Amino acid sequence: MENDFLAHLNPEQRGAVEATEGPVMIIAGAGSGKTRVLTYRIAHLINMGVDPYQILSLTFTNKAAREMKERIAHLIGDGARDLWMGTFHSVFARLLRREASKIGYPANFTIYDTDDSKTLLKSIVKEMGLNDTAYKASALLGRISSIKTNLMSPKEYLNDIQYQNEDRAARREHFGAIYETYNKRLYKSGAMDFDDLLYHTNILLRDHPESLLKYQNMFRYILVDEYQDTNFSQYMILRQLAARHLNICVVGDDAQSIYAFRGANIQNILNFQKHYADTQVFKLEQNYRSTKNIVNAANQVISKNRDQLKKTVWTSNEEGEKIRVSRAFSDSEEGRQIAQSIFDTRISKQASNKEFAILYRTNAQSRPLEEALRKLNIPYRIYGGLSFYQRKEIKDLMAYFRLTINHHDEEALRRVINYPIRGIGDTTFDKMIVAAADNDVSIWTVMENIADFNLPVQTRAIEKIKEFVTLIQSFTALLPDYSAFKLADYIASNTGIMKELYQDRTPEGVNRMENIQELLNGLKDFTEKDPEAEMPTLDKFMEDVALLTSEDINEGEEQHTDKVLLMTIHAAKGLEFNYVYIGGLEENLFPSQMAIMSREELEEERRLFYVAITRAKKQANLSYSISRYRYGNALSCEPSRFLEEIPADCVENIATYSPNESYSQSSFERRPKVFNVTPPPVSKPISLTNKKLVSLKKVTAGAPVDNSHLTGLAAGAKVEHDRFGIGEVITVEGHYPNSKAIVMFENGEKKQLLLRFAHLKVLS
């Protein structure tokens, strides 16, 4: 009876759950219930008598780990509490705190976020007297992240001739020295950046055989979600930990591998069977999320990729509406089309705003979309915008928290040593930096022993430094005995931050004060959420915050507010919506111009398009414009090649028109609805005058445009195109709906056009 819950699984899911021994790869198509399989597999292992402490389950978001724990607890009770489950970074940060002394770190090491790392790099570039334009912090951090992901130390980097030659050619010959200094400063501050959490775990397992054996025996069963997103560093950790028992189960979908820019290596999942002999493979191919039209379209698109694990996703859901493809004159018009369609659909379907999502390839595309939504008073939210924890007042107070936990945290110290103002100026601080560098100690060590360093600073400054040191030490003394909320409230009051914010009665000041109160509310919730657990202290809260992912930061708000969500497709992975709009489907935008030079990069772009389509449950809407502003110039655009890859029987083509010469707000409000099923008479072809839209041809909505009337379309034929004008056909190839024509236009442009989208008019 204890395994009755397995009856809720389909045969392939159940097989994947019950295959508990040896290496297992579960290829999970979009919407196929992979989270259910993972949770049931863990529950099944525990029911079989496996100690929860011996199960390591790794995810890519804390939200996913939390949901899985809740589901497992629902199935089997409190056993889920003892699982080692979480993100790679949270699990191995926990492990490193246990073993920190073996790699020369304190157990209370600080975890630097991206802003902390960039600030440190800016300081190093300034101290080295380098050009901060040539050595931008974001570019430096990106390269350091890539190098750490590939497990290369600063010493190895500096001894690598190829890297040194690359740096000289790129005029960044000081990069190796910056990387070395950056790592030394992290170490001196008792801090690790995000990549260090995995880098140092690899070092621990490599250099300390007793630790490797300990965790190999401890983690007898390893489960990994989203395996296609793992990088080399993560692969090596898993390889080492699983080597003893080989009970490793990975779940993923190569068709959704879209994070190569973060270091993810799709070869990890493609070659899993080569890495682990006797792998059992299970394919979850039934999609429970989307309609047949959406599933079939996505299947056809992704089938064009060469590097993939073959599967055929299917669904027993309804046929559903066809995928809508619409054309606009410009990116602004595209935004208006999308906003109007949301407005109409919301009314006709009685849908709430949060059922809609607008996806785009780059963040820069959001501007015209936001403008259009505002004009129709449609509430929206940018998913992945400024995090609550990135606000200045929050970072200021949390810097005090960090310094309380780890006195040597240099970035936290820099942030608050003179905030609120206490008389320790930049000149004094710079002299302490020099003293610390000369003596190879942390700045805090200099401050703690200020009298021994004989700094040439005023006596008043010396006294202020001593007062600051005493203040921080007094907070630290309370750390073991005070709850997270009680100590945070005490620190906020005794540093003077609360007083300073309270005295600022401007609207901005009031807002900052409210944010501090919200942070304290969060600490109160953290303190009270688990009465049976040991006292939740401030250091535990800070670790939770440091390991938040962007998905965790955004979690919750969309559930409690009725707003349309706007986001990049990368940010949308793992989410689902009833109605999805994907804008900017144009060559050189999607696929990106940077990706069309190699097959591997183009295939990743196609996987990204696959992810976008499969976010939709009921309706997918695709759009492109024939001109788009980039860098202040209006450029002509061509439809994305991905549109051609969608089967014609899955598509409903919708063209647009407008009777107005310009688009003031009032004229926009009077214009007819964008998606009107009754076709108007065909108007004259498009003409552009003073960059204003004069007229727009509208074609019949419904099935893909029928070009059977173009009987005269052959090499040598004169044709007219809405955007490019009059031209001569050079060649025609293929059969409708995939027929194409190459046309040389009078303006000198040669275009390859897919006829079902081109709307050509044969002149002779």
Side-chain angles (χ1 to χ4, degrees), residues 512-553:
R512 286 192 287 268
M513 185 68 177
E514 289 173 349
N515 287 335
I516 292 292
Q517 291 293 348
E518 183 58 33
L519 175 62
L520 293 175
N521 291 341
L523 279 148
K524 186 75 169 176
D525 290 342
F526 174 81
T527 300
E528 297 175 350
K529 70 179 179 181
D530 191 351
E532 298 179 10
E534 58 181 305
M535 186 172 65
T537 50
L538 188 60
D539 54 329
K540 295 182 176 66
F541 172 81
M542 289 300 293
E543 178 157 336
D544 276 7
V545 171
L547 293 167
L548 286 174
T549 65
S550 58
E551 289 84 355
D552 300 314
I553 290 168

mmCIF file of all heavy atoms in Angstrom, residues 512-553:
data_model
loop_
_atom_site.group_PDB
_atom_site.id
_atom_site.type_symbol
_atom_site.label_atom_id
_atom_site.label_comp_id
_atom_site.label_asym_id
_atom_site.label_seq_id
_atom_site.Cartn_x
_atom_site.Cartn_y
_atom_site.Cartn_z
ATOM 1 N N ARG A 512 12.303 54.313 1.179
ATOM 2 C CA ARG A 512 13.473 53.566 1.673
ATOM 3 C C ARG A 512 13.215 53.026 3.075
ATOM 4 O O ARG A 512 13.604 51.900 3.398
ATOM 5 C CB ARG A 512 14.718 54.467 1.647
ATOM 6 C CG ARG A 512 15.270 54.707 0.255
ATOM 7 C CD ARG A 512 16.647 55.339 0.305
ATOM 8 N NE ARG A 512 16.574 56.736 0.699
ATOM 9 C CZ ARG A 512 16.487 57.757 -0.174
ATOM 10 N NH1 ARG A 512 16.426 57.507 -1.468
ATOM 11 N NH2 ARG A 512 16.443 58.994 0.259
ATOM 12 N N MET A 513 12.553 53.839 3.910
ATOM 13 C CA MET A 513 12.217 53.388 5.261
ATOM 14 C C MET A 513 11.267 52.191 5.198
ATOM 15 O O MET A 513 11.419 51.211 5.952
ATOM 16 C CB MET A 513 11.567 54.542 6.033
ATOM 17 C CG MET A 513 11.293 54.221 7.496
ATOM 18 S SD MET A 513 12.835 54.042 8.439
ATOM 19 C CE MET A 513 12.171 53.782 10.077
ATOM 20 N N GLU A 514 10.307 52.251 4.287
ATOM 21 C CA GLU A 514 9.361 51.141 4.136
ATOM 22 C C GLU A 514 10.079 49.871 3.673
ATOM 23 O O GLU A 514 9.730 48.757 4.093
ATOM 24 C CB GLU A 514 8.269 51.526 3.138
ATOM 25 C CG GLU A 514 7.293 52.572 3.681
ATOM 26 C CD GLU A 514 6.324 53.059 2.622
ATOM 27 O OE1 GLU A 514 6.533 52.744 1.423
ATOM 28 O OE2 GLU A 514 5.354 53.765 2.991
ATOM 29 N N ASN A 515 11.082 50.042 2.831
ATOM 30 C CA ASN A 515 11.838 48.870 2.379
ATOM 31 C C ASN A 515 12.607 48.218 3.525
ATOM 32 O O ASN A 515 12.691 46.989 3.615
ATOM 33 C CB ASN A 515 12.808 49.264 1.254
ATOM 34 C CG ASN A 515 12.098 49.530 -0.056
ATOM 35 O OD1 ASN A 515 11.002 49.018 -0.293
ATOM 36 N ND2 ASN A 515 12.711 50.337 -0.912
ATOM 37 N N ILE A 516 13.168 49.048 4.399
ATOM 38 C CA ILE A 516 13.867 48.504 5.572
ATOM 39 C C ILE A 516 12.879 47.739 6.452
ATOM 40 O O ILE A 516 13.182 46.642 6.954
ATOM 41 C CB ILE A 516 14.546 49.639 6.379
ATOM 42 C CG1 ILE A 516 15.702 50.244 5.581
ATOM 43 C CG2 ILE A 516 15.033 49.118 7.727
ATOM 44 C CD1 ILE A 516 16.879 49.324 5.373
ATOM 45 N N GLN A 517 11.682 48.311 6.625
ATOM 46 C CA GLN A 517 10.663 47.627 7.422
ATOM 47 C C GLN A 517 10.281 46.285 6.780
ATOM 48 O O GLN A 517 10.068 45.286 7.477
ATOM 49 C CB GLN A 517 9.418 48.514 7.558
ATOM 50 C CG GLN A 517 9.634 49.756 8.418
ATOM 51 C CD GLN A 517 9.877 49.412 9.888
ATOM 52 O OE1 GLN A 517 9.684 48.294 10.324
ATOM 53 N NE2 GLN A 517 10.324 50.415 10.656
ATOM 54 N N GLU A 518 10.219 46.267 5.444
ATOM 55 C CA GLU A 518 9.880 45.031 4.747
ATOM 56 C C GLU A 518 10.980 43.981 4.937
ATOM 57 O O GLU A 518 10.706 42.793 5.083
ATOM 58 C CB GLU A 518 9.664 45.314 3.253
ATOM 59 C CG GLU A 518 9.227 44.110 2.438
ATOM 60 C CD GLU A 518 7.934 43.480 2.949
ATOM 61 O OE1 GLU A 518 7.062 44.216 3.461
ATOM 62 O OE2 GLU A 518 7.803 42.242 2.852
ATOM 63 N N LEU A 519 12.238 44.434 4.933
ATOM 64 C CA LEU A 519 13.339 43.501 5.195
ATOM 65 C C LEU A 519 13.207 42.911 6.593
ATOM 66 O O LEU A 519 13.378 41.694 6.787
ATOM 67 C CB LEU A 519 14.686 44.222 5.051
ATOM 68 C CG LEU A 519 15.931 43.393 5.411
ATOM 69 C CD1 LEU A 519 16.068 42.182 4.493
ATOM 70 C CD2 LEU A 519 17.193 44.260 5.349
ATOM 71 N N LEU A 520 12.888 43.754 7.569
ATOM 72 C CA LEU A 520 12.725 43.265 8.937
ATOM 73 C C LEU A 520 11.519 42.323 9.036
ATOM 74 O O LEU A 520 11.557 41.340 9.786
ATOM 75 C CB LEU A 520 12.574 44.445 9.904
ATOM 76 C CG LEU A 520 13.836 45.323 10.048
ATOM 77 C CD1 LEU A 520 13.548 46.535 10.928
ATOM 78 C CD2 LEU A 520 15.011 44.523 10.625
ATOM 79 N N ASN A 521 10.472 42.608 8.250
ATOM 80 C CA ASN A 521 9.328 41.691 8.218
ATOM 81 C C ASN A 521 9.749 40.324 7.686
ATOM 82 O O ASN A 521 9.315 39.274 8.183
ATOM 83 C CB ASN A 521 8.216 42.253 7.326
ATOM 84 C CG ASN A 521 7.548 43.477 7.922
ATOM 85 O OD1 ASN A 521 7.648 43.714 9.127
ATOM 86 N ND2 ASN A 521 6.884 44.261 7.086
ATOM 87 N N GLY A 522 10.597 40.354 6.656
ATOM 88 C CA GLY A 522 11.103 39.099 6.106
ATOM 89 C C GLY A 522 11.927 38.329 7.125
ATOM 90 O O GLY A 522 11.834 37.095 7.209
ATOM 91 N N LEU A 523 12.709 39.036 7.899
ATOM 92 C CA LEU A 523 13.496 38.395 8.956
ATOM 93 C C LEU A 523 12.588 37.812 10.037
ATOM 94 O O LEU A 523 12.874 36.751 10.596
ATOM 95 C CB LEU A 523 14.466 39.415 9.567
ATOM 96 C CG LEU A 523 15.740 39.629 8.762
ATOM 97 C CD1 LEU A 523 16.247 41.049 8.884
ATOM 98 C CD2 LEU A 523 16.817 38.651 9.220
ATOM 99 N N LYS A 524 11.486 38.504 10.318
ATOM 100 C CA LYS A 524 10.526 38.001 11.303
ATOM 101 C C LYS A 524 9.913 36.689 10.819
ATOM 102 O O LYS A 524 9.819 35.708 11.567
ATOM 103 C CB LYS A 524 9.425 39.049 11.512
ATOM 104 C CG LYS A 524 8.442 38.720 12.624
ATOM 105 C CD LYS A 524 9.063 38.945 13.995
ATOM 106 C CE LYS A 524 8.014 38.868 15.081
ATOM 107 N NZ LYS A 524 8.601 39.000 16.436
ATOM 108 N N ASP A 525 9.531 36.667 9.535
ATOM 109 C CA ASP A 525 8.969 35.441 8.957
ATOM 110 C C ASP A 525 9.987 34.309 9.007
ATOM 111 O O ASP A 525 9.656 33.169 9.332
ATOM 112 C CB ASP A 525 8.549 35.679 7.504
ATOM 113 C CG ASP A 525 7.327 36.584 7.404
ATOM 114 O OD1 ASP A 525 6.624 36.734 8.425
ATOM 115 O OD2 ASP A 525 7.090 37.132 6.315
ATOM 116 N N PHE A 526 11.241 34.632 8.661
ATOM 117 C CA PHE A 526 12.302 33.624 8.675
ATOM 118 C C PHE A 526 12.486 33.054 10.079
ATOM 119 O O PHE A 526 12.674 31.851 10.263
ATOM 120 C CB PHE A 526 13.610 34.253 8.181
ATOM 121 C CG PHE A 526 14.811 33.345 8.275
ATOM 122 C CD1 PHE A 526 15.041 32.391 7.298
ATOM 123 C CD2 PHE A 526 15.706 33.460 9.335
ATOM 124 C CE1 PHE A 526 16.153 31.553 7.382
ATOM 125 C CE2 PHE A 526 16.805 32.633 9.424
ATOM 126 C CZ PHE A 526 17.038 31.673 8.448
ATOM 127 N N THR A 527 12.426 33.923 11.059
ATOM 128 C CA THR A 527 12.638 33.504 12.445
ATOM 129 C C THR A 527 11.526 32.583 12.932
ATOM 130 O O THR A 527 11.764 31.649 13.700
ATOM 131 C CB THR A 527 12.713 34.751 13.358
ATOM 132 O OG1 THR A 527 13.804 35.574 12.930
ATOM 133 C CG2 THR A 527 12.926 34.353 14.809
ATOM 134 N N GLU A 528 10.295 32.827 12.449
ATOM 135 C CA GLU A 528 9.137 32.099 12.988
ATOM 136 C C GLU A 528 8.638 30.959 12.107
ATOM 137 O O GLU A 528 7.694 30.263 12.479
ATOM 138 C CB GLU A 528 7.984 33.093 13.210
ATOM 139 C CG GLU A 528 8.320 34.166 14.245
ATOM 140 C CD GLU A 528 7.216 35.206 14.366
ATOM 141 O OE1 GLU A 528 6.305 35.179 13.510
ATOM 142 O OE2 GLU A 528 7.274 36.025 15.297
ATOM 143 N N LYS A 529 9.277 30.745 10.937
ATOM 144 C CA LYS A 529 8.682 29.802 9.975
ATOM 145 C C LYS A 529 8.767 28.344 10.403
ATOM 146 O O LYS A 529 7.958 27.524 9.972
ATOM 147 C CB LYS A 529 9.333 29.980 8.596
ATOM 148 C CG LYS A 529 10.777 29.508 8.491
ATOM 149 C CD LYS A 529 11.303 29.715 7.069
ATOM 150 C CE LYS A 529 12.755 29.277 6.968
ATOM 151 N NZ LYS A 529 13.301 29.499 5.605
ATOM 152 N N ASP A 530 9.739 27.980 11.231
ATOM 153 C CA ASP A 530 9.872 26.578 11.623
ATOM 154 C C ASP A 530 10.144 26.502 13.124
ATOM 155 O O ASP A 530 11.296 26.478 13.554
ATOM 156 C CB ASP A 530 11.003 25.909 10.833
ATOM 157 C CG ASP A 530 11.007 24.386 11.008
ATOM 158 O OD1 ASP A 530 10.252 23.894 11.869
ATOM 159 O OD2 ASP A 530 11.752 23.705 10.292
ATOM 160 N N PRO A 531 9.105 26.456 13.942
ATOM 161 C CA PRO A 531 9.270 26.482 15.401
ATOM 162 C C PRO A 531 10.116 25.328 15.937
ATOM 163 O O PRO A 531 10.734 25.448 16.992
ATOM 164 C CB PRO A 531 7.822 26.395 15.920
ATOM 165 C CG PRO A 531 6.958 26.791 14.776
ATOM 166 C CD PRO A 531 7.687 26.363 13.544
ATOM 167 N N GLU A 532 10.142 24.187 15.210
ATOM 168 C CA GLU A 532 10.857 23.017 15.707
ATOM 169 C C GLU A 532 12.347 23.047 15.379
ATOM 170 O O GLU A 532 13.131 22.289 15.944
ATOM 171 C CB GLU A 532 10.232 21.742 15.124
ATOM 172 C CG GLU A 532 8.784 21.534 15.533
ATOM 173 C CD GLU A 532 8.206 20.281 14.928
ATOM 174 O OE1 GLU A 532 8.976 19.488 14.347
ATOM 175 O OE2 GLU A 532 6.978 20.087 15.033
ATOM 176 N N ALA A 533 12.742 23.901 14.453
ATOM 177 C CA ALA A 533 14.152 23.947 14.056
ATOM 178 C C ALA A 533 14.961 24.688 15.112
ATOM 179 O O ALA A 533 14.424 25.390 15.968
ATOM 180 C CB ALA A 533 14.279 24.639 12.713
ATOM 181 N N GLU A 534 16.307 24.507 15.039
ATOM 182 C CA GLU A 534 17.171 25.262 15.952
ATOM 183 C C GLU A 534 17.011 26.748 15.657
ATOM 184 O O GLU A 534 16.555 27.136 14.590
ATOM 185 C CB GLU A 534 18.623 24.834 15.763
ATOM 186 C CG GLU A 534 19.150 25.023 14.349
ATOM 187 C CD GLU A 534 20.582 24.570 14.220
ATOM 188 O OE1 GLU A 534 21.417 25.064 14.993
ATOM 189 O OE2 GLU A 534 20.859 23.734 13.353
ATOM 190 N N MET A 535 17.403 27.580 16.626
ATOM 191 C CA MET A 535 17.143 29.008 16.492
ATOM 192 C C MET A 535 17.733 29.548 15.191
ATOM 193 O O MET A 535 18.925 29.409 14.928
ATOM 194 C CB MET A 535 17.726 29.781 17.674
ATOM 195 C CG MET A 535 17.349 31.254 17.623
ATOM 196 S SD MET A 535 17.820 32.163 19.095
ATOM 197 C CE MET A 535 19.596 32.040 19.002
ATOM 198 N N PRO A 536 16.884 30.176 14.358
ATOM 199 C CA PRO A 536 17.369 30.714 13.080
ATOM 200 C C PRO A 536 18.139 32.012 13.304
ATOM 201 O O PRO A 536 17.554 33.062 13.557
ATOM 202 C CB PRO A 536 16.081 30.958 12.292
ATOM 203 C CG PRO A 536 15.014 31.100 13.319
ATOM 204 C CD PRO A 536 15.444 30.342 14.531
ATOM 205 N N THR A 537 19.431 31.936 13.232
ATOM 206 C CA THR A 537 20.282 33.092 13.502
ATOM 207 C C THR A 537 20.541 33.880 12.223
ATOM 208 O O THR A 537 20.229 33.448 11.116
ATOM 209 C CB THR A 537 21.614 32.639 14.119
ATOM 210 O OG1 THR A 537 22.175 31.598 13.310
ATOM 211 C CG2 THR A 537 21.411 32.111 15.529
ATOM 212 N N LEU A 538 21.142 35.053 12.389
ATOM 213 C CA LEU A 538 21.322 35.975 11.274
ATOM 214 C C LEU A 538 22.221 35.388 10.188
ATOM 215 O O LEU A 538 22.008 35.630 8.995
ATOM 216 C CB LEU A 538 21.902 37.298 11.789
ATOM 217 C CG LEU A 538 21.984 38.448 10.788
ATOM 218 C CD1 LEU A 538 20.603 38.808 10.266
ATOM 219 C CD2 LEU A 538 22.648 39.662 11.429
ATOM 220 N N ASP A 539 23.226 34.623 10.578
ATOM 221 C CA ASP A 539 24.121 34.055 9.565
ATOM 222 C C ASP A 539 23.381 33.070 8.657
ATOM 223 O O ASP A 539 23.657 32.988 7.457
ATOM 224 C CB ASP A 539 25.338 33.391 10.214
ATOM 225 C CG ASP A 539 24.963 32.365 11.265
ATOM 226 O OD1 ASP A 539 23.920 32.532 11.921
ATOM 227 O OD2 ASP A 539 25.713 31.391 11.438
ATOM 228 N N LYS A 540 22.403 32.342 9.208
ATOM 229 C CA LYS A 540 21.618 31.408 8.384
ATOM 230 C C LYS A 540 20.723 32.185 7.406
ATOM 231 O O LYS A 540 20.567 31.789 6.248
ATOM 232 C CB LYS A 540 20.783 30.483 9.268
ATOM 233 C CG LYS A 540 21.609 29.541 10.137
ATOM 234 C CD LYS A 540 20.715 28.611 10.942
ATOM 235 C CE LYS A 540 21.542 27.599 11.741
ATOM 236 N NZ LYS A 540 22.350 28.240 12.792
ATOM 237 N N PHE A 541 20.140 33.284 7.873
ATOM 238 C CA PHE A 541 19.323 34.105 6.979
ATOM 239 C C PHE A 541 20.175 34.671 5.847
ATOM 240 O O PHE A 541 19.765 34.657 4.682
ATOM 241 C CB PHE A 541 18.686 35.254 7.760
ATOM 242 C CG PHE A 541 17.973 36.263 6.890
ATOM 243 C CD1 PHE A 541 16.693 36.015 6.431
ATOM 244 C CD2 PHE A 541 18.595 37.453 6.521
ATOM 245 C CE1 PHE A 541 16.032 36.941 5.617
ATOM 246 C CE2 PHE A 541 17.952 38.381 5.715
ATOM 247 C CZ PHE A 541 16.663 38.118 5.266
ATOM 248 N N MET A 542 21.366 35.145 6.164
ATOM 249 C CA MET A 542 22.221 35.748 5.152
ATOM 250 C C MET A 542 22.662 34.739 4.105
ATOM 251 O O MET A 542 22.809 35.079 2.931
ATOM 252 C CB MET A 542 23.441 36.395 5.820
ATOM 253 C CG MET A 542 23.102 37.650 6.608
ATOM 254 S SD MET A 542 22.353 38.951 5.584
ATOM 255 C CE MET A 542 23.738 39.385 4.541
ATOM 256 N N GLU A 543 22.865 33.510 4.514
ATOM 257 C CA GLU A 543 23.227 32.490 3.524
ATOM 258 C C GLU A 543 22.061 32.225 2.590
ATOM 259 O O GLU A 543 22.239 32.080 1.376
ATOM 260 C CB GLU A 543 23.661 31.185 4.204
ATOM 261 C CG GLU A 543 23.998 30.109 3.185
ATOM 262 C CD GLU A 543 24.930 29.043 3.744
ATOM 263 O OE1 GLU A 543 25.661 29.330 4.702
ATOM 264 O OE2 GLU A 543 24.906 27.936 3.203
ATOM 265 N N ASP A 544 20.848 32.188 3.130
ATOM 266 C CA ASP A 544 19.667 31.998 2.280
ATOM 267 C C ASP A 544 19.564 33.104 1.233
ATOM 268 O O ASP A 544 19.312 32.851 0.056
ATOM 269 C CB ASP A 544 18.388 31.995 3.132
ATOM 270 C CG ASP A 544 18.096 30.625 3.728
ATOM 271 O OD1 ASP A 544 18.945 29.727 3.587
ATOM 272 O OD2 ASP A 544 17.028 30.462 4.348
ATOM 273 N N VAL A 545 19.779 34.340 1.662
ATOM 274 C CA VAL A 545 19.661 35.479 0.751
ATOM 275 C C VAL A 545 20.774 35.451 -0.290
ATOM 276 O O VAL A 545 20.544 35.698 -1.479
ATOM 277 C CB VAL A 545 19.697 36.805 1.534
ATOM 278 C CG1 VAL A 545 19.798 37.992 0.587
ATOM 279 C CG2 VAL A 545 18.459 36.932 2.404
ATOM 280 N N ALA A 546 21.987 35.133 0.140
ATOM 281 C CA ALA A 546 23.127 35.124 -0.777
ATOM 282 C C ALA A 546 22.953 34.116 -1.894
ATOM 283 O O ALA A 546 23.472 34.295 -2.993
ATOM 284 C CB ALA A 546 24.420 34.824 -0.007
ATOM 285 N N LEU A 547 22.185 33.056 -1.642
ATOM 286 C CA LEU A 547 22.047 31.974 -2.618
ATOM 287 C C LEU A 547 20.740 32.042 -3.395
ATOM 288 O O LEU A 547 20.393 31.110 -4.113
ATOM 289 C CB LEU A 547 22.167 30.621 -1.903
ATOM 290 C CG LEU A 547 23.567 30.353 -1.328
ATOM 291 C CD1 LEU A 547 23.531 29.176 -0.370
ATOM 292 C CD2 LEU A 547 24.574 30.116 -2.430
ATOM 293 N N LEU A 548 20.023 33.162 -3.268
ATOM 294 C CA LEU A 548 18.808 33.319 -4.059
ATOM 295 C C LEU A 548 19.151 33.399 -5.536
ATOM 296 O O LEU A 548 20.117 34.049 -5.929
ATOM 297 C CB LEU A 548 18.066 34.603 -3.664
ATOM 298 C CG LEU A 548 17.325 34.605 -2.322
ATOM 299 C CD1 LEU A 548 16.777 35.995 -2.051
ATOM 300 C CD2 LEU A 548 16.201 33.581 -2.314
ATOM 301 N N THR A 549 18.368 32.729 -6.364
ATOM 302 C CA THR A 549 18.511 32.867 -7.808
ATOM 303 C C THR A 549 17.514 33.905 -8.291
ATOM 304 O O THR A 549 16.625 34.329 -7.554
ATOM 305 C CB THR A 549 18.230 31.527 -8.514
ATOM 306 O OG1 THR A 549 16.848 31.177 -8.315
ATOM 307 C CG2 THR A 549 19.103 30.429 -7.962
ATOM 308 N N SER A 550 17.653 34.323 -9.560
ATOM 309 C CA SER A 550 16.718 35.316 -10.101
ATOM 310 C C SER A 550 15.293 34.800 -10.068
ATOM 311 O O SER A 550 14.345 35.547 -9.846
ATOM 312 C CB SER A 550 17.113 35.676 -11.538
ATOM 313 O OG SER A 550 17.128 34.528 -12.361
ATOM 314 N N GLU A 551 15.113 33.491 -10.276
ATOM 315 C CA GLU A 551 13.776 32.905 -10.242
ATOM 316 C C GLU A 551 13.180 32.999 -8.838
ATOM 317 O O GLU A 551 11.997 33.257 -8.657
ATOM 318 C CB GLU A 551 13.816 31.440 -10.683
ATOM 319 C CG GLU A 551 14.096 31.243 -12.167
ATOM 320 C CD GLU A 551 15.579 31.275 -12.488
ATOM 321 O OE1 GLU A 551 16.402 31.544 -11.578
ATOM 322 O OE2 GLU A 551 15.926 31.045 -13.657
ATOM 323 N N ASP A 552 14.028 32.794 -7.820
ATOM 324 C CA ASP A 552 13.542 32.874 -6.442
ATOM 325 C C ASP A 552 13.144 34.305 -6.089
ATOM 326 O O ASP A 552 12.160 34.542 -5.400
ATOM 327 C CB ASP A 552 14.627 32.406 -5.465
ATOM 328 C CG ASP A 552 15.047 30.973 -5.720
ATOM 329 O OD1 ASP A 552 14.165 30.129 -5.905
ATOM 330 O OD2 ASP A 552 16.252 30.705 -5.757
ATOM 331 N N ILE A 553 13.928 35.272 -6.586
ATOM 332 C CA ILE A 553 13.653 36.667 -6.287
ATOM 333 C C ILE A 553 12.321 37.091 -6.881
ATOM 334 O O ILE A 553 11.562 37.858 -6.307
ATOM 335 C CB ILE A 553 14.804 37.559 -6.818
ATOM 336 C CG1 ILE A 553 16.070 37.313 -5.979
ATOM 337 C CG2 ILE A 553 14.433 39.025 -6.787
ATOM 338 C CD1 ILE A 553 17.328 37.890 -6.571
#
